[in-house]
Amino acid sequence: MQKFTYNTPVCAAYFTLILQTASAMPEHQLPVILEEIPEKEMARYPVRRTKGVKTFVRTKPGGVLMPATYAHLAKRFYNLELRSDDVVVAAYPKSGTVWVAEVVWTLLNPHALDTLEAKPHHHRATLLDMDFLHPTRAEDNSPLLQRFLSECPGGRLEDGMTLQLAAVAPSPRILKTHLPINLLNPDMLNICKVVYVARNPRDVCVSLYRFLGMMKGVTVPVEFQDFAESFMSGSLHYGPYWDHLEQAWRHRDHPNLHVVFYEDMKKDVLQELKKLSSFLGRSLTDDQLRSIVEYTSFGRMKARDAKFPVVDLNGSFFRKGEIGDWKNMASPQLDALMDGWIKEKSRGTGITFKYE
Ligand code: PPS
């Protein structure tokens, strides 16, 4: 167990409690091994990084490609300390994670909507994966690092900054992750609520391609067709799309799991908010729900985000927010390929998506 040193009694007491609780519970052994990816194979990877993590590992079994920084933290994620009032928002990247997390926060805090303007959305819902996607270094001197130094004195960056910030965050916490459910605490569904966001793979693929294209320090030196083929073969980070979805879908009848489809949110957001609030055990008036719809609309979230720009993006994270952007990107040949892939992968699952 990692040793921490603290110079504030409150934080020290808090971590002591966490460490005692942790040591009382058996540590789960990671259900996968992590293999280094040879340089020769990475040379074919359709995303280039000029800064940040450049080496990757892959889970076996599962074939989930992850930045090499994940290897060091994988066990911590698998043994993530959860509280009964946590809400974990999990999703394959670009599925609407930030939107749904903001909706969850507003459903839990319907009287605090006017405070949304004051802080960026990631203050309300932490993306835990930042610890291995873009690990903070001491020399970064970012506002988040300042927050870490003040809230977790004595904490070590290499133990995961967002993990430690989450450990001292007040309840109820909203924890975002793109990790597939089988790489998270295996007791999670018995401890807290989980909202899994699913989005149709055509638009996920477009959104991911465009997002990577906007990231500073990242280039995608391939045409969309090649990128989409890599996506379908499961060789992008976070691995095979359908396996990710299936990891959650198999628990869809569990009372602590709620699957929300991005397309359903787009088509009838009020209806989806009602389902979500009932899942979260909250009873909100129609007026409150309508306010939440307004505050979490694409336009309002995009406008709020502009006040706290994500520094490493050339453009807005809130890009289009639509169903069907795929048709602006894919050739008829690529669309046929994608169609065959979707039919093959979704056969027998009962999963159907709306594409327009
Ligand atoms: S990430 O970076 O993986 O966490 O991205 P994620 O939040 O999962 O998904 C980003 C896409 O969700 C869109 N988005 C929204 N759509 C509709 N309404 C709202 N309020 C909203 N907020 C975010 C966002 O624009 C990304 O989709 P694209 O298609 O790229 O616009």
Side-chain angles (χ1 to χ4, degrees), residues 121-282:
H121 57 77
H122 56 82
H123 277 235
R124 293 181 281 279
T126 310
L127 178 65
L128 299 174
D129 307 18
M130 291 304 278
D131 283 340
F132 54 82
L133 290 178
H134 308 288
T136 295
R137 298 158 309 162
E139 61 270 29
D140 287 346
N141 200 22
S142 62
L144 198 58
L145 177 63
Q146 293 311 318
R147 208 177 117 201
F148 173 66
L149 295 175
S150 108
E151 292 183 22
C152 303
R156 302 180 341 152
L157 284 177
E158 56 272 36
D159 294 331
M161 187 174 75
T162 53
L163 283 174
Q164 290 168 80
L165 276 170
V168 295
S171 290
R173 304 180 301 180
I174 300 170
L175 305 171
K176 284 185 298 190
T177 181
H178 298 307
L179 284 173
I181 284 189
N182 64 320
L183 294 180
L184 294 168
N185 187 329
D187 295 330
M188 178 168 70
L189 285 172
N190 296 324
I191 301 173
C192 66
K193 292 194 192 295
V194 180
V195 178
Y196 185 84
V197 195
R199 186 183 191 183
N200 83 70
R202 286 180 161 98
D203 290 338
V204 163
C205 183
V206 173
S207 182
L208 190 55
Y209 183 69
R210 291 298 193 202
F211 178 74
L212 291 168
M214 279 198 287
M215 275 184 85
K216 290 183 187 163
V218 172
T219 52
V220 188
V222 295
E223 295 296 326
F224 181 61
Q225 164 97 22
D226 294 332
F227 183 83
E229 287 179 18
S230 292
F231 170 72
M232 285 186 266
S233 70
S235 55
L236 298 179
H237 70 312
Y238 287 105
Y241 168 89
W242 289 100
D243 289 355
H244 197 290
L245 183 53
E246 155 63 15
Q247 290 296 337
W249 191 245
R250 67 172 64 164
H251 298 290
R252 65 189 178 283
D253 295 326
H254 194 291
N256 271 349
L257 181 88
H258 180 74
V259 180
V260 57
F261 286 86
Y262 180 94
E263 294 75 24
D264 291 343
M265 292 274 289
K266 287 292 297 182
K267 298 258 178 213
D268 190 347
V269 65
L270 198 57
Q271 179 64 18
E272 292 309 309
L273 258 58
K274 283 182 181 162
K275 287 190 212 160
L276 261 168
S277 60
S278 133
F279 170 70
L280 296 170
R282 302 291 157 136

Side-chain angles (χ1 to χ4, degrees), residues 92-99 178 199 207 211 262 266 296-298 301 317-322:
Y92 191 86
K94 310 322 287 182
S95 298
T97 330
V98 168
W99 182 17
H178 298 307
R199 186 183 191 183
S207 182
F211 178 74
Y262 180 94
K266 287 292 297 182
T296 57
S297 67
F298 182 79
M301 286 187 69
F317 174 90
F318 297 85
R319 194 185 61 90
K320 276 200 170 175
E322 290 170 1

